[in-house]
Amino acid sequence: IYILTATTYDKRNYQLWKISERDKRPEGYNLKDEDGRIRDPATITSLRVPVLRPMDLMVEATPRRVFSNGHTYHINSISVNSDCETYMSTDDLRINLWHLEITNRSFNIVDIKPANMEELTEVITAAEFHPHQCNTFVYSSSKGSIRLCDMRASALCDNHSKFFEEPEDPSNRSFFSEIISSISDVKFSHSGRYLMTRDYLTVKVWDLNMESKPLETYQVHDYLRSKLCSLYENDCIFDKFECVWNGSDSVIMTGSYNNFFRMFDRNTKRDVTLEASRENSKPRAVLKPRKVCVGGKRRKDEISVDSLDFSKKILHTTWHPSENIIAVAATNNLYIFQDKVN
């Protein structure tokens, strides 16, 4: 297994890692002890045949390549192409195309940097390749728009093939409208038919054949709409939440505050709020749905919106490609949950 990640010391560079599992270790070396120290050849009186002994399963991550000098600004997304030979990296103003075998050279395929930076009106927030069509990719912007591009049209994809944007209701416009409409994540469905986007308050599902408005809109934490002023003051309004599909594209998941994460069933239109915490995450424990109360009265099993902890947030989530296993990152803790097993 190989993965691409941004380096921790410089978010403008990234590394290719090889992830491997090891459940056996070699024993019986001739020229070194079991702890790795080199033996004195004069003390070797016989030859041994090394053997493999079982050991506890260990996962190793080995860096294979470092890609650098491709970006001026911090990278916000990396996406591997379906051809398994190229990938793209994205920062606020540019998208670069790389070959996995070439570490020191990339090709710029999107550049929105104006000649005068004072004329800059939006930045790129995320980008992803189509899961099946190696020539197609999308990128989102801080203005809430999504552009679909075809690399066959030109080397520099200045002109998009499709433009997805939901018109804003003038009656709902406020000081925070542009901030909360910024898209923090964009994901193709596994089938390649739909797009999912996450902004501050909602998750939207778009049909690639309908650019005018989203096919589905899900409210993640609409109870925070009255808290936008305080969320702006503590910078939480700029948090970037990810979203993810399950293996069959029937359920979507995204994070929230207070270590809550939300799931939406696209078929039944049901939704559930779950909590990732050490107290509620004992092995084989069943997670109980959580509810947030907005009004003055609240039930025993509800939590008041005023008591939510905004320092606890789930920004990163992922779903196993074929099984009902999810992983959510809550601050410095990683939680893995599995569907109930009979």
Side-chain angles (χ1 to χ4, degrees):
I1 301 174
Y2 292 89
I3 61 172
L4 275 164
T5 64
T7 56
T8 56
Y9 55 87
D10 190 344
K11 297 297 184 181
R12 294 170 296 178
N13 301 329
Y14 26 94
Q15 291 177 293
L16 177 69
W17 298 78
K18 181 180 180 181
I19 310 298
S20 57
E21 295 180 345
R22 190 153 60 96
D23 58 0
K24 293 182 176 64
R25 66 171 180 268
E27 292 184 358
Y29 289 106
N30 289 288
L31 299 180
K32 61 182 179 180
D33 296 328
E34 299 303 333
D35 57 3
R37 291 182 297 179
I38 302 298
R39 297 174 61 187
D40 184 357
T43 63
I44 301 176
T45 58
S46 62
L47 294 178
R48 295 184 295 175
V49 177
V51 295
L52 293 175
R53 302 289 188 191
M55 59 175 285
D56 293 336
L57 180 65
M58 184 172 63
V59 178
E60 296 178 320
T62 308
R64 288 304 178 92
R65 295 185 182 90
V66 177
F67 301 86
S68 57
N69 303 322
H71 290 274
T72 305
Y73 306 97
H74 285 186
I75 299 162
N76 57 45
S77 58
I78 299 172
S79 179
V80 179
N81 202 344
S82 59
D83 61 12
C84 296
E85 293 183 357
T86 59
Y87 71 94
M88 65 180 175
S89 57
T90 309
D91 66 22
D92 287 351
L93 301 178
R94 293 187 175 96
I95 300 178
N96 292 337
L97 181 68
W98 298 77
H99 194 283
L100 287 168
E101 299 296 331
I102 303 174
T103 61
N104 60 353
R105 187 171 70 252
S106 63
F107 298 93
N108 180 235
I109 54 177
V110 173
D111 188 348
I112 67 169
K113 183 179 181 180
N116 183 0
M117 286 295 285
E118 294 181 356
E119 299 175 359
L120 184 67
T121 58
E122 61 181 338
V123 296
I124 302 171
T125 56
E128 188 179 61
F129 269 118
H130 191 280
H132 310 304
Q133 301 170 9
C134 62
N135 56 282
T136 305
F137 69 93
V138 294
Y139 68 91
S140 57
S141 84
S142 57
K143 280 194 169 182
S145 60
I146 311 103
R147 293 170 173 83
L148 185 141
C149 301
D150 190 338
M151 292 190 295
R152 296 173 300 183
S154 63
L156 187 63
C157 299
D158 287 336
N159 298 318
H160 48 266
S161 301
K162 292 186 177 182
F163 183 80
F164 302 87
E165 185 177 46
E166 183 176 24
E168 183 184 12
D169 185 353
S171 62
N172 293 331
R173 182 161 183 81
S174 69
F175 172 79
F176 306 105
S177 294
E178 188 169 328
I179 301 175
I180 63 176
S181 65
S182 175
I183 295 175
S184 57
D185 196 17
V186 57
K187 293 282 175 60
F188 275 106
S189 63
H190 294 86
S191 65
R193 171 70 185 274
Y194 303 103
L195 268 177
M196 175 169 55
T197 60
R198 170 70 205 264
D199 57 41
Y200 191 69
L201 295 178
T202 66
V203 172
K204 297 175 182 178
V205 176
W206 302 77
D207 190 323
L208 289 186
N209 296 324
M210 186 172 67
E211 305 171 52
S212 58
K213 61 180 181 179
L215 189 67
E216 304 159 16
T217 300
Y218 301 95
Q219 300 294 334
V220 178
H221 38 215
D222 196 54
Y223 46 79
L224 296 182
R225 197 174 292 274
S226 61
K227 303 286 183 181
L228 293 179
C229 186
S230 58
L231 290 167
Y232 177 80
E233 292 176 351
N234 62 18
D235 286 341
C236 284
I237 200 170
F238 301 105
D239 287 332
K240 300 182 183 301
F241 293 94
E242 295 179 356
C243 53
V244 65
W245 303 85
N246 72 334
S248 62
D249 299 333
S250 60
V251 180
I252 57 182
M253 176 176 64
T254 190
S256 183
Y257 293 104
N258 209 70
N259 280 359
F260 289 167
F261 59 98
R262 302 268 284 142
M263 290 185 177
F264 303 93
D265 191 312
R266 299 180 60 211
N267 296 325
T268 64
K269 303 304 178 184
R270 292 182 178 180
D271 62 88
V272 64
T273 302
L274 301 173
E275 182 181 4
S277 66
R278 291 188 176 184
E279 295 77 13
N280 301 329
S281 301
K282 297 178 180 179
R284 299 190 179 277
V286 179
L287 295 181
K288 296 181 180 179
R290 302 301 304 269
K291 291 184 178 180
V292 177
C293 173
V294 180
K297 295 182 179 180
R298 67 181 182 90
R299 297 178 181 177
K300 183 179 179 181
D301 58 342
E302 293 180 338
I303 181 172
S304 171
V305 66
D306 295 319
S307 60
L308 294 176
D309 189 342
F310 295 107
S311 65
K312 296 180 179 180
K313 61 194 77 173
I314 294 179
L315 303 179
H316 309 289
T317 59
T318 188
W319 204 308
H320 191 282
S322 58
E323 300 181 24
N324 275 334
I325 301 175
I326 61 172
V328 297
T331 317
N332 59 343
N333 297 312
L334 177 66
Y335 297 88
I336 299 178
F337 300 106
Q338 184 176 5
D339 193 13
K340 186 176 181 181
V341 178
N342 296 325

